[in-house]
Amino acid sequence: MLEIRLPDEVAQSIREGYVKPLDLTLYRELSSPPVRAVYRVLDALRWDSGSAQDRVTINLLEWGERLSIYSTEPDKIRRVLQPAHEELRERGILLDVEVTGRGKVQELTYIFAPTDRLPNEELLRALTKRGMYPAVAGKYLTEHLDPAPVHLAIRRFDAYPGRKQNAGALLRDMLVHPERYAEVLPLPADAEAKKTVAVQSITETETAEIEARQLQELQELSPERQLTRLETMLTFAKVTPLLSVLDRDRLRTAVLTGRLEVTEVIRLLTKGIHQPPGDKVIALQALLSD
């Protein structure tokens, strides 16, 4: 018997719902470790924003590094990836893989087959506003179509007494284990109440507390991880597809060199949460040119 112990940090992340589950049945059916690696990382990128993205674009050399393909030759990286691309197309996971650019600035765009179900955007916003990670919230909503338990969990979360030290983990636990919180807010007595679709608004004070904690956690991360978190938020805000390659390079350089504080960009995104994505792009470009 082989016993494996995960690092405490990883185990805690799984318990608190920060690690998105993978379709293990499909994963095991894939033909080889390289194909599994491409599928696993692509699945994480696709769900970064909480909703299943139609397409994901990534620099070819960066993609090779993430998949442990130790080469700086674009042609060689593409040849290594080709079997995985073909198998994922055959299995209906990918519709196509587009290559743009030349040399070391080449980019791959993965075009995914549409999912059968998409998460309710209103509920997704309600869950992420209360501290759940977008990928975790989107995954739950995609797999659980009945909105009633989600509304109930939100009501229980808002009524929960005391300070919510880990808001996202608490809310996820209320979704997964509703029986543990029956005393916080009992189940509605009548059937009509169970069908309610109203989403209670979280108080401004608690919103500010959640945002402050998230910003503090962000500032404690390395510049590389801050950049990863920021890119996730830009995708969630539907800004990423509107950014040019030059914009993305300028943003990456500014964050990694410390010229731009990630918190500035996040405040820009949250302040204009109801703005169209195009307006956010203009504001971000202005920030980068300062």
Side-chain angles (χ1 to χ4, degrees), residues 207-244:
T207 299
E209 288 179 357
I210 290 171
E211 289 177 351
R213 286 200 298 273
Q214 290 177 336
L215 288 175
Q216 183 179 354
E217 290 175 4
L218 187 66
Q219 289 172 327
E220 294 172 354
L221 299 176
S222 66
E224 291 77 11
R225 294 190 64 190
Q226 286 185 8
L227 179 62
T228 300
R229 187 75 59 85
L230 176 60
E231 288 173 339
T232 297
M233 294 192 68
L234 289 170
T235 303
F236 183 56
K238 300 182 179 179
V239 170
T240 301
L242 303 180
L243 292 174
S244 67

PDB file of all heavy atoms in Angstrom, residues 207-244:
ATOM      1  N   THR A 207     -18.723  44.154   2.856  1.00  0.00           N
ATOM      2  CA  THR A 207     -18.061  44.191   1.563  1.00  0.00           C
ATOM      3  C   THR A 207     -16.681  44.821   1.685  1.00  0.00           C
ATOM      4  O   THR A 207     -15.698  44.320   1.137  1.00  0.00           O
ATOM      5  CB  THR A 207     -18.900  44.996   0.545  1.00  0.00           C
ATOM      6  OG1 THR A 207     -20.169  44.365   0.383  1.00  0.00           O
ATOM      7  CG2 THR A 207     -18.203  45.064  -0.810  1.00  0.00           C
ATOM      8  N   ALA A 208     -16.612  45.925   2.425  1.00  0.00           N
ATOM      9  CA  ALA A 208     -15.326  46.605   2.618  1.00  0.00           C
ATOM     10  C   ALA A 208     -14.344  45.712   3.371  1.00  0.00           C
ATOM     11  O   ALA A 208     -13.149  45.682   3.053  1.00  0.00           O
ATOM     12  CB  ALA A 208     -15.542  47.913   3.375  1.00  0.00           C
ATOM     13  N   GLU A 209     -14.852  44.965   4.372  1.00  0.00           N
ATOM     14  CA  GLU A 209     -13.976  44.069   5.137  1.00  0.00           C
ATOM     15  C   GLU A 209     -13.418  42.960   4.250  1.00  0.00           C
ATOM     16  O   GLU A 209     -12.225  42.632   4.313  1.00  0.00           O
ATOM     17  CB  GLU A 209     -14.745  43.451   6.306  1.00  0.00           C
ATOM     18  CG  GLU A 209     -15.051  44.436   7.429  1.00  0.00           C
ATOM     19  CD  GLU A 209     -15.826  43.783   8.561  1.00  0.00           C
ATOM     20  OE1 GLU A 209     -16.165  42.585   8.435  1.00  0.00           O
ATOM     21  OE2 GLU A 209     -16.091  44.459   9.564  1.00  0.00           O
ATOM     22  N   ILE A 210     -14.270  42.364   3.418  1.00  0.00           N
ATOM     23  CA  ILE A 210     -13.837  41.292   2.526  1.00  0.00           C
ATOM     24  C   ILE A 210     -12.795  41.817   1.537  1.00  0.00           C
ATOM     25  O   ILE A 210     -11.750  41.205   1.317  1.00  0.00           O
ATOM     26  CB  ILE A 210     -15.040  40.690   1.771  1.00  0.00           C
ATOM     27  CG1 ILE A 210     -15.926  39.907   2.749  1.00  0.00           C
ATOM     28  CG2 ILE A 210     -14.581  39.772   0.653  1.00  0.00           C
ATOM     29  CD1 ILE A 210     -17.242  39.459   2.149  1.00  0.00           C
ATOM     30  N   GLU A 211     -13.073  42.987   0.949  1.00  0.00           N
ATOM     31  CA  GLU A 211     -12.136  43.553  -0.017  1.00  0.00           C
ATOM     32  C   GLU A 211     -10.797  43.883   0.646  1.00  0.00           C
ATOM     33  O   GLU A 211      -9.737  43.676   0.058  1.00  0.00           O
ATOM     34  CB  GLU A 211     -12.738  44.808  -0.656  1.00  0.00           C
ATOM     35  CG  GLU A 211     -13.895  44.494  -1.602  1.00  0.00           C
ATOM     36  CD  GLU A 211     -14.532  45.747  -2.179  1.00  0.00           C
ATOM     37  OE1 GLU A 211     -14.179  46.855  -1.705  1.00  0.00           O
ATOM     38  OE2 GLU A 211     -15.375  45.627  -3.071  1.00  0.00           O
ATOM     39  N   ALA A 212     -10.855  44.424   1.873  1.00  0.00           N
ATOM     40  CA  ALA A 212      -9.617  44.767   2.588  1.00  0.00           C
ATOM     41  C   ALA A 212      -8.782  43.521   2.863  1.00  0.00           C
ATOM     42  O   ALA A 212      -7.556  43.531   2.694  1.00  0.00           O
ATOM     43  CB  ALA A 212      -9.943  45.492   3.892  1.00  0.00           C
ATOM     44  N   ARG A 213      -9.445  42.421   3.265  1.00  0.00           N
ATOM     45  CA  ARG A 213      -8.714  41.179   3.542  1.00  0.00           C
ATOM     46  C   ARG A 213      -8.107  40.618   2.265  1.00  0.00           C
ATOM     47  O   ARG A 213      -6.984  40.129   2.252  1.00  0.00           O
ATOM     48  CB  ARG A 213      -9.638  40.148   4.196  1.00  0.00           C
ATOM     49  CG  ARG A 213      -9.969  40.443   5.647  1.00  0.00           C
ATOM     50  CD  ARG A 213     -10.459  39.182   6.345  1.00  0.00           C
ATOM     51  NE  ARG A 213     -11.674  38.667   5.751  1.00  0.00           N
ATOM     52  CZ  ARG A 213     -12.893  39.073   6.099  1.00  0.00           C
ATOM     53  NH1 ARG A 213     -13.054  40.006   7.011  1.00  0.00           N
ATOM     54  NH2 ARG A 213     -13.960  38.547   5.523  1.00  0.00           N
ATOM     55  N   GLN A 214      -8.870  40.688   1.165  1.00  0.00           N
ATOM     56  CA  GLN A 214      -8.365  40.165  -0.103  1.00  0.00           C
ATOM     57  C   GLN A 214      -7.165  40.971  -0.599  1.00  0.00           C
ATOM     58  O   GLN A 214      -6.193  40.401  -1.102  1.00  0.00           O
ATOM     59  CB  GLN A 214      -9.479  40.165  -1.153  1.00  0.00           C
ATOM     60  CG  GLN A 214     -10.563  39.129  -0.872  1.00  0.00           C
ATOM     61  CD  GLN A 214     -11.692  39.185  -1.873  1.00  0.00           C
ATOM     62  OE1 GLN A 214     -11.917  40.213  -2.502  1.00  0.00           O
ATOM     63  NE2 GLN A 214     -12.423  38.094  -2.020  1.00  0.00           N
ATOM     64  N   LEU A 215      -7.211  42.305  -0.427  1.00  0.00           N
ATOM     65  CA  LEU A 215      -6.090  43.137  -0.831  1.00  0.00           C
ATOM     66  C   LEU A 215      -4.864  42.867   0.037  1.00  0.00           C
ATOM     67  O   LEU A 215      -3.735  42.849  -0.453  1.00  0.00           O
ATOM     68  CB  LEU A 215      -6.476  44.617  -0.766  1.00  0.00           C
ATOM     69  CG  LEU A 215      -7.446  45.113  -1.843  1.00  0.00           C
ATOM     70  CD1 LEU A 215      -7.830  46.555  -1.584  1.00  0.00           C
ATOM     71  CD2 LEU A 215      -6.831  44.972  -3.231  1.00  0.00           C
ATOM     72  N   GLN A 216      -5.103  42.652   1.321  1.00  0.00           N
ATOM     73  CA  GLN A 216      -3.984  42.353   2.223  1.00  0.00           C
ATOM     74  C   GLN A 216      -3.327  41.025   1.843  1.00  0.00           C
ATOM     75  O   GLN A 216      -2.096  40.912   1.804  1.00  0.00           O
ATOM     76  CB  GLN A 216      -4.462  42.297   3.678  1.00  0.00           C
ATOM     77  CG  GLN A 216      -3.330  42.049   4.675  1.00  0.00           C
ATOM     78  CD  GLN A 216      -3.837  42.021   6.104  1.00  0.00           C
ATOM     79  OE1 GLN A 216      -4.997  42.285   6.371  1.00  0.00           O
ATOM     80  NE2 GLN A 216      -2.955  41.698   7.028  1.00  0.00           N
ATOM     81  N   GLU A 217      -4.151  40.008   1.556  1.00  0.00           N
ATOM     82  CA  GLU A 217      -3.613  38.717   1.127  1.00  0.00           C
ATOM     83  C   GLU A 217      -2.810  38.878  -0.162  1.00  0.00           C
ATOM     84  O   GLU A 217      -1.750  38.274  -0.334  1.00  0.00           O
ATOM     85  CB  GLU A 217      -4.756  37.718   0.890  1.00  0.00           C
ATOM     86  CG  GLU A 217      -5.458  37.270   2.157  1.00  0.00           C
ATOM     87  CD  GLU A 217      -6.645  36.378   1.844  1.00  0.00           C
ATOM     88  OE1 GLU A 217      -6.857  36.064   0.648  1.00  0.00           O
ATOM     89  OE2 GLU A 217      -7.364  35.997   2.778  1.00  0.00           O
ATOM     90  N   LEU A 218      -3.315  39.714  -1.059  1.00  0.00           N
ATOM     91  CA  LEU A 218      -2.658  39.921  -2.342  1.00  0.00           C
ATOM     92  C   LEU A 218      -1.286  40.559  -2.157  1.00  0.00           C
ATOM     93  O   LEU A 218      -0.303  40.156  -2.791  1.00  0.00           O
ATOM     94  CB  LEU A 218      -3.535  40.805  -3.230  1.00  0.00           C
ATOM     95  CG  LEU A 218      -3.085  41.002  -4.673  1.00  0.00           C
ATOM     96  CD1 LEU A 218      -3.168  39.689  -5.427  1.00  0.00           C
ATOM     97  CD2 LEU A 218      -3.938  42.040  -5.356  1.00  0.00           C
ATOM     98  N   GLN A 219      -1.194  41.540  -1.275  1.00  0.00           N
ATOM     99  CA  GLN A 219       0.076  42.246  -1.059  1.00  0.00           C
ATOM    100  C   GLN A 219       1.136  41.340  -0.451  1.00  0.00           C
ATOM    101  O   GLN A 219       2.335  41.616  -0.579  1.00  0.00           O
ATOM    102  CB  GLN A 219      -0.154  43.467  -0.163  1.00  0.00           C
ATOM    103  CG  GLN A 219      -0.929  44.582  -0.872  1.00  0.00           C
ATOM    104  CD  GLN A 219      -1.319  45.700   0.072  1.00  0.00           C
ATOM    105  OE1 GLN A 219      -1.584  45.467   1.252  1.00  0.00           O
ATOM    106  NE2 GLN A 219      -1.337  46.919  -0.428  1.00  0.00           N
ATOM    107  N   GLU A 220       0.724  40.262   0.192  1.00  0.00           N
ATOM    108  CA  GLU A 220       1.675  39.338   0.808  1.00  0.00           C
ATOM    109  C   GLU A 220       2.225  38.313  -0.186  1.00  0.00           C
ATOM    110  O   GLU A 220       3.152  37.575   0.133  1.00  0.00           O
ATOM    111  CB  GLU A 220       1.000  38.611   1.984  1.00  0.00           C
ATOM    112  CG  GLU A 220       0.644  39.553   3.135  1.00  0.00           C
ATOM    113  CD  GLU A 220      -0.187  38.878   4.205  1.00  0.00           C
ATOM    114  OE1 GLU A 220      -0.573  37.694   3.983  1.00  0.00           O
ATOM    115  OE2 GLU A 220      -0.478  39.506   5.229  1.00  0.00           O
ATOM    116  N   LEU A 221       1.658  38.267  -1.395  1.00  0.00           N
ATOM    117  CA  LEU A 221       2.116  37.309  -2.406  1.00  0.00           C
ATOM    118  C   LEU A 221       3.334  37.848  -3.150  1.00  0.00           C
ATOM    119  O   LEU A 221       3.606  39.049  -3.141  1.00  0.00           O
ATOM    120  CB  LEU A 221       0.991  37.030  -3.414  1.00  0.00           C
ATOM    121  CG  LEU A 221      -0.306  36.428  -2.874  1.00  0.00           C
ATOM    122  CD1 LEU A 221      -1.332  36.315  -3.996  1.00  0.00           C
ATOM    123  CD2 LEU A 221      -0.055  35.066  -2.245  1.00  0.00           C
ATOM    124  N   SER A 222       4.053  36.964  -3.825  1.00  0.00           N
ATOM    125  CA  SER A 222       5.177  37.376  -4.668  1.00  0.00           C
ATOM    126  C   SER A 222       4.625  38.113  -5.893  1.00  0.00           C
ATOM    127  O   SER A 222       3.452  37.949  -6.256  1.00  0.00           O
ATOM    128  CB  SER A 222       5.962  36.149  -5.124  1.00  0.00           C
ATOM    129  OG  SER A 222       5.167  35.351  -5.995  1.00  0.00           O
ATOM    130  N   PRO A 223       5.450  38.947  -6.550  1.00  0.00           N
ATOM    131  CA  PRO A 223       4.979  39.654  -7.745  1.00  0.00           C
ATOM    132  C   PRO A 223       4.426  38.710  -8.815  1.00  0.00           C
ATOM    133  O   PRO A 223       3.448  39.036  -9.486  1.00  0.00           O
ATOM    134  CB  PRO A 223       6.238  40.386  -8.243  1.00  0.00           C
ATOM    135  CG  PRO A 223       7.058  40.585  -7.009  1.00  0.00           C
ATOM    136  CD  PRO A 223       6.808  39.365  -6.165  1.00  0.00           C
ATOM    137  N   GLU A 224       5.053  37.528  -8.962  1.00  0.00           N
ATOM    138  CA  GLU A 224       4.574  36.572  -9.974  1.00  0.00           C
ATOM    139  C   GLU A 224       3.171  36.094  -9.654  1.00  0.00           C
ATOM    140  O   GLU A 224       2.308  36.007 -10.536  1.00  0.00           O
ATOM    141  CB  GLU A 224       5.526  35.372 -10.067  1.00  0.00           C
ATOM    142  CG  GLU A 224       6.890  35.691 -10.656  1.00  0.00           C
ATOM    143  CD  GLU A 224       7.813  36.402  -9.673  1.00  0.00           C
ATOM    144  OE1 GLU A 224       7.473  36.454  -8.461  1.00  0.00           O
ATOM    145  OE2 GLU A 224       8.867  36.888 -10.114  1.00  0.00           O
ATOM    146  N   ARG A 225       2.911  35.767  -8.379  1.00  0.00           N
ATOM    147  CA  ARG A 225       1.574  35.295  -8.000  1.00  0.00           C
ATOM    148  C   ARG A 225       0.562  36.436  -8.010  1.00  0.00           C
ATOM    149  O   ARG A 225      -0.616  36.226  -8.300  1.00  0.00           O
ATOM    150  CB  ARG A 225       1.630  34.637  -6.622  1.00  0.00           C
ATOM    151  CG  ARG A 225       2.446  33.348  -6.597  1.00  0.00           C
ATOM    152  CD  ARG A 225       2.277  32.602  -5.304  1.00  0.00           C
ATOM    153  NE  ARG A 225       0.908  32.151  -5.118  1.00  0.00           N
ATOM    154  CZ  ARG A 225       0.438  31.625  -3.976  1.00  0.00           C
ATOM    155  NH1 ARG A 225       1.247  31.499  -2.943  1.00  0.00           N
ATOM    156  NH2 ARG A 225      -0.812  31.240  -3.886  1.00  0.00           N
ATOM    157  N   GLN A 226       1.017  37.654  -7.693  1.00  0.00           N
ATOM    158  CA  GLN A 226       0.126  38.809  -7.805  1.00  0.00           C
ATOM    159  C   GLN A 226      -0.327  38.982  -9.245  1.00  0.00           C
ATOM    160  O   GLN A 226      -1.507  39.253  -9.515  1.00  0.00           O
ATOM    161  CB  GLN A 226       0.833  40.076  -7.333  1.00  0.00           C
ATOM    162  CG  GLN A 226       1.017  40.187  -5.837  1.00  0.00           C
ATOM    163  CD  GLN A 226       1.620  41.516  -5.442  1.00  0.00           C
ATOM    164  OE1 GLN A 226       1.769  42.416  -6.264  1.00  0.00           O
ATOM    165  NE2 GLN A 226       1.971  41.655  -4.179  1.00  0.00           N
ATOM    166  N   LEU A 227       0.614  38.820 -10.170  1.00  0.00           N
ATOM    167  CA  LEU A 227       0.284  38.957 -11.586  1.00  0.00           C
ATOM    168  C   LEU A 227      -0.722  37.899 -12.018  1.00  0.00           C
ATOM    169  O   LEU A 227      -1.686  38.194 -12.737  1.00  0.00           O
ATOM    170  CB  LEU A 227       1.556  38.854 -12.425  1.00  0.00           C
ATOM    171  CG  LEU A 227       1.371  38.947 -13.944  1.00  0.00           C
ATOM    172  CD1 LEU A 227       0.801  40.297 -14.327  1.00  0.00           C
ATOM    173  CD2 LEU A 227       2.703  38.717 -14.656  1.00  0.00           C
ATOM    174  N   THR A 228      -0.527  36.661 -11.561  1.00  0.00           N
ATOM    175  CA  THR A 228      -1.466  35.582 -11.896  1.00  0.00           C
ATOM    176  C   THR A 228      -2.863  35.908 -11.384  1.00  0.00           C
ATOM    177  O   THR A 228      -3.869  35.738 -12.086  1.00  0.00           O
ATOM    178  CB  THR A 228      -0.979  34.247 -11.300  1.00  0.00           C
ATOM    179  OG1 THR A 228       0.298  33.929 -11.841  1.00  0.00           O
ATOM    180  CG2 THR A 228      -1.959  33.124 -11.628  1.00  0.00           C
ATOM    181  N   ARG A 229      -2.941  36.373 -10.126  1.00  0.00           N
ATOM    182  CA  ARG A 229      -4.245  36.734  -9.551  1.00  0.00           C
ATOM    183  C   ARG A 229      -4.888  37.886 -10.323  1.00  0.00           C
ATOM    184  O   ARG A 229      -6.096  37.877 -10.581  1.00  0.00           O
ATOM    185  CB  ARG A 229      -4.038  37.115  -8.082  1.00  0.00           C
ATOM    186  CG  ARG A 229      -5.327  37.352  -7.301  1.00  0.00           C
ATOM    187  CD  ARG A 229      -6.042  36.064  -6.971  1.00  0.00           C
ATOM    188  NE  ARG A 229      -5.205  35.180  -6.182  1.00  0.00           N
ATOM    189  CZ  ARG A 229      -5.096  35.248  -4.849  1.00  0.00           C
ATOM    190  NH1 ARG A 229      -5.746  36.165  -4.173  1.00  0.00           N
ATOM    191  NH2 ARG A 229      -4.346  34.372  -4.196  1.00  0.00           N
ATOM    192  N   LEU A 230      -4.074  38.868 -10.705  1.00  0.00           N
ATOM    193  CA  LEU A 230      -4.601  40.012 -11.461  1.00  0.00           C
ATOM    194  C   LEU A 230      -5.125  39.569 -12.823  1.00  0.00           C
ATOM    195  O   LEU A 230      -6.196  40.017 -13.256  1.00  0.00           O
ATOM    196  CB  LEU A 230      -3.504  41.064 -11.637  1.00  0.00           C
ATOM    197  CG  LEU A 230      -3.876  42.275 -12.503  1.00  0.00           C
ATOM    198  CD1 LEU A 230      -5.061  43.012 -11.904  1.00  0.00           C
ATOM    199  CD2 LEU A 230      -2.678  43.215 -12.643  1.00  0.00           C
ATOM    200  N   GLU A 231      -4.396  38.694 -13.497  1.00  0.00           N
ATOM    201  CA  GLU A 231      -4.833  38.219 -14.818  1.00  0.00           C
ATOM    202  C   GLU A 231      -6.168  37.486 -14.710  1.00  0.00           C
ATOM    203  O   GLU A 231      -7.011  37.574 -15.601  1.00  0.00           O
ATOM    204  CB  GLU A 231      -3.759  37.317 -15.426  1.00  0.00           C
ATOM    205  CG  GLU A 231      -2.522  38.084 -15.880  1.00  0.00           C
ATOM    206  CD  GLU A 231      -1.393  37.175 -16.327  1.00  0.00           C
ATOM    207  OE1 GLU A 231      -1.392  35.982 -15.921  1.00  0.00           O
ATOM    208  OE2 GLU A 231      -0.496  37.640 -17.060  1.00  0.00           O
ATOM    209  N   THR A 232      -6.369  36.765 -13.600  1.00  0.00           N
ATOM    210  CA  THR A 232      -7.648  36.092 -13.382  1.00  0.00           C
ATOM    211  C   THR A 232      -8.777  37.106 -13.261  1.00  0.00           C
ATOM    212  O   THR A 232      -9.853  36.942 -13.841  1.00  0.00           O
ATOM    213  CB  THR A 232      -7.584  35.241 -12.101  1.00  0.00           C
ATOM    214  OG1 THR A 232      -6.601  34.220 -12.270  1.00  0.00           O
ATOM    215  CG2 THR A 232      -8.932  34.595 -11.803  1.00  0.00           C
ATOM    216  N   MET A 233      -8.533  38.181 -12.502  1.00  0.00           N
ATOM    217  CA  MET A 233      -9.565  39.205 -12.312  1.00  0.00           C
ATOM    218  C   MET A 233      -9.858  39.931 -13.623  1.00  0.00           C
ATOM    219  O   MET A 233     -11.010  40.279 -13.903  1.00  0.00           O
ATOM    220  CB  MET A 233      -9.124  40.199 -11.238  1.00  0.00           C
ATOM    221  CG  MET A 233      -9.015  39.599  -9.853  1.00  0.00           C
ATOM    222  SD  MET A 233      -8.834  40.840  -8.562  1.00  0.00           S
ATOM    223  CE  MET A 233     -10.451  41.621  -8.602  1.00  0.00           C
ATOM    224  N   LEU A 234      -8.834  40.167 -14.440  1.00  0.00           N
ATOM    225  CA  LEU A 234      -9.048  40.826 -15.723  1.00  0.00           C
ATOM    226  C   LEU A 234      -9.896  39.953 -16.647  1.00  0.00           C
ATOM    227  O   LEU A 234     -10.747  40.456 -17.386  1.00  0.00           O
ATOM    228  CB  LEU A 234      -7.704  41.136 -16.388  1.00  0.00           C
ATOM    229  CG  LEU A 234      -6.879  42.250 -15.734  1.00  0.00           C
ATOM    230  CD1 LEU A 234      -5.480  42.297 -16.333  1.00  0.00           C
ATOM    231  CD2 LEU A 234      -7.560  43.599 -15.891  1.00  0.00           C
ATOM    232  N   THR A 235      -9.667  38.641 -16.599  1.00  0.00           N
ATOM    233  CA  THR A 235     -10.486  37.723 -17.393  1.00  0.00           C
ATOM    234  C   THR A 235     -11.923  37.733 -16.899  1.00  0.00           C
ATOM    235  O   THR A 235     -12.874  37.764 -17.686  1.00  0.00           O
ATOM    236  CB  THR A 235      -9.911  36.297 -17.312  1.00  0.00           C
ATOM    237  OG1 THR A 235      -8.564  36.305 -17.759  1.00  0.00           O
ATOM    238  CG2 THR A 235     -10.726  35.340 -18.175  1.00  0.00           C
ATOM    239  N   PHE A 236     -12.096  37.707 -15.561  1.00  0.00           N
ATOM    240  CA  PHE A 236     -13.431  37.720 -14.967  1.00  0.00           C
ATOM    241  C   PHE A 236     -14.184  38.996 -15.349  1.00  0.00           C
ATOM    242  O   PHE A 236     -15.398  38.978 -15.567  1.00  0.00           O
ATOM    243  CB  PHE A 236     -13.292  37.616 -13.444  1.00  0.00           C
ATOM    244  CG  PHE A 236     -14.613  37.546 -12.726  1.00  0.00           C
ATOM    245  CD1 PHE A 236     -15.534  36.569 -13.030  1.00  0.00           C
ATOM    246  CD2 PHE A 236     -14.928  38.458 -11.727  1.00  0.00           C
ATOM    247  CE1 PHE A 236     -16.744  36.491 -12.365  1.00  0.00           C
ATOM    248  CE2 PHE A 236     -16.130  38.393 -11.060  1.00  0.00           C
ATOM    249  CZ  PHE A 236     -17.050  37.400 -11.375  1.00  0.00           C
ATOM    250  N   ALA A 237     -13.460  40.119 -15.457  1.00  0.00           N
ATOM    251  CA  ALA A 237     -14.079  41.391 -15.815  1.00  0.00           C
ATOM    252  C   ALA A 237     -14.244  41.545 -17.330  1.00  0.00           C
ATOM    253  O   ALA A 237     -14.668  42.597 -17.802  1.00  0.00           O
ATOM    254  CB  ALA A 237     -13.242  42.545 -15.269  1.00  0.00           C
ATOM    255  N   LYS A 238     -13.870  40.475 -18.104  1.00  0.00           N
ATOM    256  CA  LYS A 238     -13.994  40.462 -19.563  1.00  0.00           C
ATOM    257  C   LYS A 238     -13.126  41.529 -20.231  1.00  0.00           C
ATOM    258  O   LYS A 238     -13.456  42.040 -21.310  1.00  0.00           O
ATOM    259  CB  LYS A 238     -15.459  40.624 -19.981  1.00  0.00           C
ATOM    260  CG  LYS A 238     -16.353  39.514 -19.451  1.00  0.00           C
ATOM    261  CD  LYS A 238     -17.784  39.653 -19.901  1.00  0.00           C
ATOM    262  CE  LYS A 238     -18.628  38.497 -19.365  1.00  0.00           C
ATOM    263  NZ  LYS A 238     -20.031  38.594 -19.762  1.00  0.00           N
ATOM    264  N   VAL A 239     -12.008  41.861 -19.559  1.00  0.00           N
ATOM    265  CA  VAL A 239     -11.080  42.860 -20.086  1.00  0.00           C
ATOM    266  C   VAL A 239     -10.001  42.218 -20.956  1.00  0.00           C
ATOM    267  O   VAL A 239      -9.597  42.780 -21.970  1.00  0.00           O
ATOM    268  CB  VAL A 239     -10.431  43.650 -18.922  1.00  0.00           C
ATOM    269  CG1 VAL A 239      -9.281  44.518 -19.415  1.00  0.00           C
ATOM    270  CG2 VAL A 239     -11.491  44.508 -18.230  1.00  0.00           C
ATOM    271  N   THR A 240      -9.563  41.023 -20.582  1.00  0.00           N
ATOM    272  CA  THR A 240      -8.430  40.381 -21.246  1.00  0.00           C
ATOM    273  C   THR A 240      -8.576  40.290 -22.771  1.00  0.00           C
ATOM    274  O   THR A 240      -7.631  40.619 -23.499  1.00  0.00           O
ATOM    275  CB  THR A 240      -8.183  38.978 -20.659  1.00  0.00           C
ATOM    276  OG1 THR A 240      -7.935  39.107 -19.250  1.00  0.00           O
ATOM    277  CG2 THR A 240      -7.000  38.309 -21.314  1.00  0.00           C
ATOM    278  N   PRO A 241      -9.731  39.870 -23.309  1.00  0.00           N
ATOM    279  CA  PRO A 241      -9.821  39.763 -24.775  1.00  0.00           C
ATOM    280  C   PRO A 241      -9.662  41.097 -25.499  1.00  0.00           C
ATOM    281  O   PRO A 241      -9.365  41.117 -26.691  1.00  0.00           O
ATOM    282  CB  PRO A 241     -11.233  39.188 -24.994  1.00  0.00           C
ATOM    283  CG  PRO A 241     -11.592  38.539 -23.707  1.00  0.00           C
ATOM    284  CD  PRO A 241     -10.944  39.366 -22.643  1.00  0.00           C
ATOM    285  N   LEU A 242      -9.857  42.203 -24.777  1.00  0.00           N
ATOM    286  CA  LEU A 242      -9.781  43.524 -25.400  1.00  0.00           C
ATOM    287  C   LEU A 242      -8.388  44.139 -25.310  1.00  0.00           C
ATOM    288  O   LEU A 242      -8.138  45.192 -25.893  1.00  0.00           O
ATOM    289  CB  LEU A 242     -10.801  44.473 -24.742  1.00  0.00           C
ATOM    290  CG  LEU A 242     -12.263  44.012 -24.770  1.00  0.00           C
ATOM    291  CD1 LEU A 242     -13.149  45.033 -24.091  1.00  0.00           C
ATOM    292  CD2 LEU A 242     -12.727  43.783 -26.205  1.00  0.00           C
ATOM    293  N   LEU A 243      -7.491  43.495 -24.574  1.00  0.00           N
ATOM    294  CA  LEU A 243      -6.132  44.006 -24.437  1.00  0.00           C
ATOM    295  C   LEU A 243      -5.268  43.507 -25.594  1.00  0.00           C
ATOM    296  O   LEU A 243      -5.342  42.340 -25.973  1.00  0.00           O
ATOM    297  CB  LEU A 243      -5.520  43.552 -23.115  1.00  0.00           C
ATOM    298  CG  LEU A 243      -6.118  44.137 -21.836  1.00  0.00           C
ATOM    299  CD1 LEU A 243      -5.500  43.470 -20.613  1.00  0.00           C
ATOM    300  CD2 LEU A 243      -5.909  45.648 -21.764  1.00  0.00           C
ATOM    301  N   SER A 244      -4.434  44.389 -26.118  1.00  0.00           N
ATOM    302  CA  SER A 244      -3.507  43.979 -27.172  1.00  0.00           C
ATOM    303  C   SER A 244      -2.336  43.222 -26.547  1.00  0.00           C
ATOM    304  O   SER A 244      -2.140  43.243 -25.325  1.00  0.00           O
ATOM    305  CB  SER A 244      -2.984  45.210 -27.921  1.00  0.00           C
ATOM    306  OG  SER A 244      -2.163  45.989 -27.057  1.00  0.00           O
TER     307      SER A 244
END
